[in-house]
Amino acid sequence: MVLVTGVWGIIVRIQELSSNIWLCLVMSFMPLLIAQSVRAEVKQNETPITPLNPPVYWGETGKSSSLPFTSDALSLSKGGGLGWGKTVAQGEKQGGVVQVTAVKANPTAKGVEVILQTTKGQQLQVKNRSAGNSFIADIPNAQLRLPNGDGFTFRSEKPLAGVTEITVTNIDANTIRVTAIGEASSPTVELFDSDEGLIFGLTTAASIAQQPPQTQTTPQVEQPTNPTQPKQPSAPDDQPIELVVTGEQDGYSVPDATTGTKTDTPLRDIPQSIQVVPQQVLRDQQVTRLNDALRNVPGVISSFGSSGNSETSQFTIRGFATSDTLLRNGLADPLGARSLELSNIDRVEVLKGPASALFGNGSPGGTVNLITKQPLATPYYAVEATVGSYSYYRGAVDLSGPLNDDKTALYRLNVSYKDAGSFIDFAHDKNLLIAPVLSFAIGERTKLTLEGEYIDADTSRLSLPAVGTVLPNPNGKIPRNLNTSGPDRNDNYVHEDIGRIGYSLEHKFSDNWSLKNAFRATFYHFETSALLGTSLDPDDRTLNRILNQGQFNDEAYNLATDIIGKFSTGSIQHQLLFGFDLSRFDYEYLYTGNRAAAPIDLFNPVYDQPLGASLSPLNASSLIDALGIYVQDQIALSQNLKLLLGVRFDAFKETDGDLVANTESSQSGDAFNPRFGIVYQPLPPISLYASYSQSFTPSIGTSFDGSTFEPERGTQYEVGVKADLNQRISTTLAFYNLTRSNVLTQDPNNPDFSIQTGEQRSRGIEFNIGGEILPGLNVIAGYAYTDAIITKDNTYTPGNLLNNVPKNSFNLWTKYEIQSGSLKGLGFGLGLFYVGEREGDLENSFQLPSYVRTDAAIFYKQGQLRAQLNFRNLFNVDYFESADNILRVYPGEPFTVQGTVSWEL
C-alpha cells in the first residue's frame, strides 16, 4: 500500500516537473513500440526449435563418449537441437565462468569456421535456436575476455555466400551469443571441440554450390578423420575474413553490476536506477579523479574542490551529499574518497537512491562502488606515460599473469605516480599508488584473493571568496589563478598516507549455493598546514585568515559475509541472499598548531607575513562500532515478472572523546530498513519497474530534554523504464521522489540546542544512454532534472534550494574509431558537460553560474601502441566547480592539453 501511494504521488507531481520530462518519455517508450513491431514480425517468420534438453557439454577430443555417436561433429540446421559428447546430469554443471580469450574466423572448403579460443572448451554448454533466417547459439557460463580481462565483440560481415553477418558477443555477465544471419535461410552449422576451443563450422546452399566437384571417397570408419584439424581454403585466392573488434573493455555499455543486489544480476532485472562508468570511458577521457569519472553520470555533481586538487572527492547524488557512502568491491570504505587515484580501478558503479537495506549507514542520494582490477590468467603488461599543461607528469604500470604453470595462482600489480602543478599559483599535486593483488584457486570451488593498496599524496587547498568571482566586487574581478595562502609549502599543503589490506574468500558449495567472506583494514594519516580565509572585510579586498594546522589518525575495519542460494518453490524461482557485516571506525583529530595569521589583500597580495598567537587546540576522538544483518530475495514469478524484497537491521554505538577536557560520551541506536521492487518485462529488452527504499544516517547528540537523537532517514519512491535497444546499447529513464527527514535544526525555544524537525526533499527525472550506436561509434550520455529543496527547517527558509544542486544538468561523451582501411585505429572523442546554475549555500545567499564545458580527444592505435591527446575545457570557459560557503568557491580548470602514450602486451 505504501509503494502504491508513493508511485501515485510521483505520477500526480510529474506535471510540476520540467517540460523536458515529456521529451524523455517519448525517447524511452519509442524502443518499446519498435520492439513490439519487431517481435510481431519475427513471430510470423520464426520456426519452433527444440532446445538442447538436458544441456549438452562437449566431451574432450579422443576420449570415449557416453552417447553412441561415431563422430565428434554435430549438424545443427534450422529446427535442430541435438548434441554430442559427454552428457552431464542435472546439478553436475562445472562452476565458474569460462573465459574465451579470442575469436577467429577462417575460410574452409565448404564455408567458414568460427573458433572460440579457450582452454576449457569441455565445460561449455550450448543452447541453439533459429529465428527467421538466423541461427542463434547461447553459451551460458562463458564470457568474451581479452587476455587483459577486457570484454570485446566479434563481427564479420558477408563472410561467405548466403551469410550476411556473423557476430559473437557478451549478452550478459554469464552468456556468450553466437549469431549467424542468412540471406535466404538459416545456415547449417557443425560444431567441433578441439584443444584450441569450440569451433562453429558454417555452410550454406550458396557456399556449397560455389565449390568445385569433389571426388567421392569411402570413409574409413576404423581411422576417422580428426575433425579438430583446421580446414584449408579451397583456393589460394580466398579472401581473409575481416575481424572488427567493436567493443574493447565491454565498450560503453555494461549489462550487469553487483552493486544493486550483491549478486550478478542484469541491470534490466533490478528495480532501481544503476549506471556504470566502464574502463573504456575512463581510458578514453584519461580520467584519474573520481569526480571527473562521475561527470558521466546524470544527477551526480561535484561539491568540493577544483580539478587541480585531489585531496578528496565529494559530490551530491540526487541532491544529497554522498562522499561518505563509498564502497570498494561491495565492501564499505569510509575513507574511500581520500586522495583517490583510479589507475587500479576497473569501473565505477553508481546506485541511485537509498541503499541501507544492503549496505547499512549511507546517504539517501545514492552509493558509489569502486570495482578494482583483478588478476588475469593470461600474461598482460601495460605501461603508460602522460605529459600535460601546467607541468603535469604521470606514469602508470599495469602487470598481471599467472605465478605457476597450472594458473591456480595469479597476480596483478598497478603502480602509478603523478607530479603536477596547477593553474593556481604555487599549487601542487603529487600522488603515488602501489596496488598489488594475489588470487589463489584452492581446488575447483574455492578462490582466495588478497588485495593491498598504498597511497602517498601531497596536494593543496585551493579556493576563492564568492565576492569578486561569482558576485560583483567594486575592486574588480579576482583572477582565478590567485593563491590566498602563499608560495611556501607550509602555507598550504595537505599530506596523506593511506594503507589498505584485505581478502576476499569465495566458495561454491554447489552450482546453486555459494559463500563470500571479505575483510579490509584501512589505515589513514592526514596532516595539513594551510592559511585559510575566515572573513572578508567591508572593503571587499581584505581577507582575514588563520593558520589551520593539525593531523588525523584513522583506522577502519570492515568484515562482511554473504550466503547466496538459488532454489525453486514450484514454478517460482528464488535467488536468496543472507548476510551480516561488522565494522569499526576509530579516528582522532589533533589541531594543536592553529594560529592567527595576517590578512591578505586579494588585489595586491603580500605573502610570507609573520604569524600571530596560537589558538586553543581542538583535539577529539571517536569510535564507532556497527553490526548489520540483512536478507534479500529476488523472486522470478515468471520469465517477465520479477520481485525484489529486502530488509536489514543495523545496530551501532559511537563513543566520542574530548582529548583536551578529558571527557567522554557515548550513544547507541538501531535502524530497520526495508526495500521492495517489481520489474515487469512486456518484451525481453524492455523493463518497467517500481521500487521503494530507505536509508539511515546516525545523528549523534541530545536535545534540550536530554533525549538522544534518532537516525536521519531517507525514503524514496522510484518508477522507471529500462531498455536494451540492441545487444550493444541500453538506456534508463527514472522518476523519483526522495525525502530526507529527522534533519537537525535549531530548537526555537532553546537556541543552543537542536531538534529533529528538519526535512528536505528531492524530486526529479533522470535519463541515461550508453553503448555502441554504429560500428566504432560509442556514446555515454545523460540528462537530470533535480528539484531539491528545504521543506521544513528553523534555521533556513523552507523553499530554499539545496546547495551545489543544479536543476538541469546534461552530459555527453561520444567516440568514433575508424574500423577499416589505411586509417584504421584512428579515433576521435567529443564531450559536452552542462551544469545549470546552483546555490552556493543553504541560505541561498549567492549562486554559481551555469556553464558548458567542452572536452575532446584524438587517439591512434597501432598494434600494441596507443597515442592519445586529450583536450579539456576546449573553449577556455571561466566556470566554477562548487562552493563550500561564501568564502570558499572552487574555480574549474582552464583549457588544458594532455598527451598519453601507452603500450600493452
Side-chain angles (χ1 to χ4, degrees):
M1 186 64 185
V2 174
L3 178 59
V4 173
T5 303
V7 172
W8 176 252
I10 294 177
I11 296 173
V12 170
R13 293 179 175 89
I14 286 177
Q15 58 183 353
E16 302 174 16
L17 301 180
S18 167
S19 59
N20 293 304
I21 292 176
W22 308 114
L23 174 60
C24 291
L25 274 170
V26 172
M27 294 172 68
S28 180
F29 281 98
M30 185 63 72
L32 178 61
L33 299 177
I34 295 173
Q36 182 70 38
S37 174
V38 171
R39 183 177 72 166
E41 180 179 350
V42 170
K43 193 170 184 65
Q44 287 181 345
N45 299 321
E46 189 171 358
T47 301
I49 300 301
T50 303
L52 296 177
N53 189 19
V56 174
Y57 295 78
W58 313 131
E60 297 182 30
T61 301
K63 293 188 178 181
S64 61
S65 171
S66 61
L67 295 180
F69 293 125
T70 57
S71 170
D72 281 339
L74 166 67
S75 178
L76 289 175
S77 60
K78 185 174 180 180
L82 298 176
W84 86 96
K86 180 180 177 182
T87 301
V88 181
Q90 295 287 355
E92 295 180 1
K93 179 179 173 181
Q94 298 285 341
V97 175
V98 175
Q99 179 173 314
V100 175
T101 57
V103 178
K104 295 196 304 183
N106 298 327
T108 68
K110 295 182 179 180
V112 66
E113 64 179 13
V114 178
I115 306 173
L116 276 60
Q117 293 186 329
T118 176
T119 60
K120 299 181 180 180
Q122 71 276 7
Q123 296 184 19
L124 295 181
Q125 168 191 358
V126 176
K127 298 179 181 179
N128 72 288
R129 59 189 172 91
S130 183
N133 297 334
S134 299
F135 167 83
I136 301 171
D138 287 341
I139 310 174
N141 201 39
Q143 281 284 277
L144 298 176
R145 293 286 170 187
L146 294 173
N148 66 354
D150 300 327
F152 66 97
T153 295
F154 167 90
R155 178 183 295 113
S156 180
E157 297 181 357
K158 297 182 179 180
L160 77 159
V163 174
T164 60
E165 185 182 60
I166 299 173
T167 60
V168 185
T169 185
N170 295 322
I171 62 170
D172 58 37
N174 299 290
T175 309
I176 294 174
R177 174 167 293 175
V178 180
T179 305
I181 303 174
E183 292 180 351
S185 62
S186 176
T188 299
V189 180
E190 293 182 317
L191 293 103
F192 306 92
D193 176 35
S194 75
D195 292 337
E196 191 174 7
L198 183 62
I199 301 175
F200 289 78
L202 282 77
T203 59
T204 63
S207 65
I208 295 175
Q210 292 181 356
Q211 304 304 317
Q214 300 293 323
T215 303
Q216 294 288 351
T217 60
T218 302
Q220 301 295 320
V221 179
E222 293 80 4
Q223 296 183 7
T225 57
N226 186 349
T228 65
Q229 296 300 318
K231 302 178 183 179
Q232 299 301 318
S234 58
D237 59 347
D238 281 334
Q239 295 299 313
I241 303 297
E242 181 180 5
L243 173 64
V244 180
V245 178
T246 60
E248 286 187 1
Q249 297 148 340
D250 279 341
Y252 280 31
S253 178
V254 178
D256 70 293
T258 60
T259 306
T261 60
K262 283 198 169 186
T263 61
D264 290 326
T265 302
L267 294 179
R268 64 177 179 271
D269 292 343
I270 300 175
Q272 203 163 339
S273 179
I274 302 173
Q275 188 171 347
V276 180
V277 184
Q279 174 66 204
Q280 189 61 45
V281 174
L282 301 178
R283 186 175 189 181
D284 290 341
Q285 296 179 359
Q286 276 299 299
V287 167
T288 61
R289 297 173 65 245
L290 180 58
N291 279 17
D292 290 330
L294 294 175
R295 291 183 190 275
N296 299 286
V297 182
V300 181
I301 302 296
S302 174
S303 62
F304 176 84
S306 61
S307 302
N309 180 356
S310 64
E311 174 188 349
T312 187
S313 297
Q314 295 186 15
F315 43 86
T316 64
I317 301 179
R318 292 185 170 177
F320 297 108
T322 313
S323 56
D324 292 334
T325 313
L326 244 66
L327 309 173
R328 185 176 291 254
N329 297 327
L331 196 61
D333 189 351
L335 298 166
R338 305 299 305 187
S339 291
L340 182 60
E341 159 68 46
L342 298 185
S343 61
N344 68 323
I345 301 300
D346 180 67
R347 64 186 185 275
V348 179
E349 300 180 355
V350 182
L351 172 64
K352 306 288 189 65
S356 289
L358 273 183
F359 303 112
N361 168 29
S363 165
T367 301
V368 174
N369 190 12
L370 306 173
I371 308 300
T372 60
K373 296 177 179 179
Q374 295 299 303
L376 307 173
T378 306
Y380 172 73
Y381 313 101
V383 181
E384 179 178 281
T386 303
V387 177
S389 304
Y390 305 105
S391 302
Y392 183 98
Y393 303 96
R394 180 179 179 272
V397 176
D398 186 359
L399 310 175
S400 188
L403 293 172
N404 56 1
D405 292 337
D406 57 5
K407 300 183 179 180
T408 58
L410 311 175
Y411 81 95
R412 190 152 192 171
L413 176 64
N414 279 274
V415 179
S416 66
Y417 179 72
K418 177 178 68 174
D419 187 344
S422 171
F423 64 95
I424 297 179
D425 295 339
F426 320 127
H428 63 278
D429 193 18
K430 297 180 180 180
N431 189 296
L432 169 66
L433 168 76
I434 304 173
V437 187
L438 297 174
S439 177
F440 303 95
I442 307 172
E444 294 184 355
R445 293 186 174 273
T446 306
K447 177 182 176 182
L448 174 66
T449 301
L450 306 176
E451 190 162 357
E453 182 178 277
Y454 173 72
I455 295 175
D456 185 330
D458 274 291
T459 190
S460 305
R461 291 184 164 180
L462 313 167
S463 63
L464 295 171
V467 178
T469 53
V470 298
L471 293 176
N473 188 317
N475 301 287
K477 187 175 182 179
I478 300 174
R480 61 180 168 180
N481 64 305
L482 175 68
N483 188 319
T484 61
S485 298
D488 189 270
R489 181 178 184 271
N490 289 327
D491 293 338
N492 193 332
Y493 84 90
V494 171
H495 176 77
E496 294 177 294
D497 290 300
I498 306 172
R500 293 184 178 93
I501 186 168
Y503 72 84
S504 173
L505 178 66
E506 300 176 59
H507 177 71
K508 290 181 177 289
F509 299 107
S510 66
D511 289 342
N512 294 324
W513 288 91
S514 63
L515 176 143
K516 180 177 181 180
N517 174 256
F519 170 80
R520 182 188 306 113
T522 304
F523 307 95
Y524 174 72
H525 174 74
F526 166 99
E527 61 182 56
T528 183
S529 177
L531 290 164
L532 304 176
T534 57
S535 63
L536 188 63
D537 281 353
D539 63 4
D540 288 335
R541 64 184 302 146
T542 303
L543 181 68
N544 299 304
R545 304 180 298 173
I546 65 166
L547 177 67
N548 181 243
Q549 201 169 61
Q551 61 179 328
F552 292 175
N553 294 290
D554 301 347
E555 296 180 5
Y557 303 91
N558 295 88
L559 172 71
T561 300
D562 295 331
I563 297 176
I564 301 173
K566 297 180 181 180
F567 62 93
S568 301
T569 54
S571 62
I572 299 175
Q573 304 294 319
H574 298 262
Q575 183 168 217
L576 182 68
L577 166 72
F578 174 78
F580 71 90
D581 55 43
L582 293 165
S583 66
R584 164 167 284 195
F585 187 29
D586 186 1
Y587 67 90
E588 65 174 9
Y589 51 93
L590 310 171
Y591 280 98
T592 57
N594 290 349
R595 300 180 65 180
I600 190 171
D601 188 333
L602 296 172
F603 296 92
N604 186 25
V606 176
Y607 299 113
D608 298 325
Q609 300 185 59
L611 297 173
S614 296
L615 305 177
S616 299
L618 178 61
N619 302 336
S621 66
S622 185
L623 176 65
I624 305 172
D625 290 313
L627 164 68
I629 302 172
Y630 47 92
V631 62
Q632 173 187 274
D633 194 4
Q634 295 172 255
I635 306 171
L637 299 176
S638 64
Q639 289 290 336
N640 63 347
L641 184 60
K642 302 175 177 68
L643 297 179
L644 187 150
L645 307 176
V647 65
R648 174 174 169 131
F649 174 77
D650 283 274
F652 60 88
K653 180 180 180 180
E654 179 169 335
T655 302
D656 298 320
D658 185 332
L659 302 183
V660 177
N662 197 26
T663 61
E664 188 176 276
S665 63
S666 64
Q667 179 177 330
S668 60
D670 54 63
F672 179 84
N673 294 280
R675 181 190 188 195
F676 311 103
I678 184 170
V679 177
Y680 173 63
Q681 295 165 329
L683 298 174
I686 304 294
S687 296
L688 311 177
Y689 73 89
S691 64
Y692 167 86
S693 56
Q694 282 192 333
S695 67
F696 85 98
T697 304
S699 293
I700 304 302
T702 59
S703 59
F704 177 75
D705 61 8
S707 60
T708 58
F709 294 131
E710 295 291 324
E712 280 190 4
R713 285 291 188 177
T715 303
Q716 176 179 272
Y717 302 92
E718 180 177 331
V719 295
V721 183
K722 299 183 181 183
D724 294 332
L725 304 186
N726 54 42
Q727 296 178 6
R728 297 177 295 276
I729 190 166
S730 60
T731 181
T732 300
L733 174 67
F735 303 88
Y736 65 89
N737 191 89
L738 176 57
T739 302
R740 179 187 177 199
S741 56
N742 287 352
V743 179
L744 293 177
T745 184
Q746 187 182 59
D747 186 340
N749 300 318
N750 304 281
D752 293 334
F753 290 84
S754 297
I755 56 176
Q756 287 189 286
T757 59
E759 183 182 89
Q760 300 169 358
R761 190 265 298 148
S762 177
R763 177 188 300 158
I765 179 175
E766 292 168 349
F767 174 80
N768 68 269
I769 186 171
E772 185 184 45
I773 300 176
L774 296 170
L777 180 61
N778 288 270
V779 65
I780 183 169
Y783 165 78
Y785 173 83
T786 310
D787 181 18
I789 64 171
I790 298 172
T791 52
K792 298 177 183 178
D793 206 285
N794 297 328
T795 305
Y796 305 107
T797 303
N800 278 8
L801 301 179
L802 300 187
N803 57 315
N804 289 309
V805 182
K807 282 203 169 186
N808 293 280
S809 59
F810 171 79
N811 61 277
L812 168 68
W813 174 267
T814 183
K815 178 196 76 169
Y816 177 70
E817 181 179 344
I818 297 173
Q819 300 291 291
S820 60
S822 59
L823 296 179
K824 181 179 179 180
L826 179 65
F828 309 89
L830 180 66
L832 297 174
F833 302 94
Y834 169 76
V835 178
E837 67 178 21
R838 55 236 183 266
E839 299 298 329
D841 54 24
L842 290 176
E843 292 92 345
N844 289 188
S845 62
F846 70 99
Q847 290 183 333
L848 302 178
S850 62
Y851 68 88
V852 177
R853 196 182 95 171
T854 304
D855 294 355
I858 301 174
F859 64 90
Y860 181 70
K861 295 190 301 182
Q862 182 66 43
Q864 287 127 351
L865 189 67
R866 176 185 173 109
Q868 180 170 330
L869 284 174
N870 285 84
F871 308 91
R872 297 195 178 96
N873 197 1
L874 193 61
F875 300 109
N876 199 28
V877 175
D878 192 351
Y879 72 99
F880 296 88
E881 294 260 16
S882 58
D884 276 349
N885 50 53
I886 201 165
L887 290 176
R888 295 182 185 176
V889 174
Y890 299 97
E893 66 180 348
F895 171 67
T896 61
V897 181
Q898 290 181 359
T900 303
V901 176
S902 59
W903 176 87
E904 60 182 29
L905 177 64

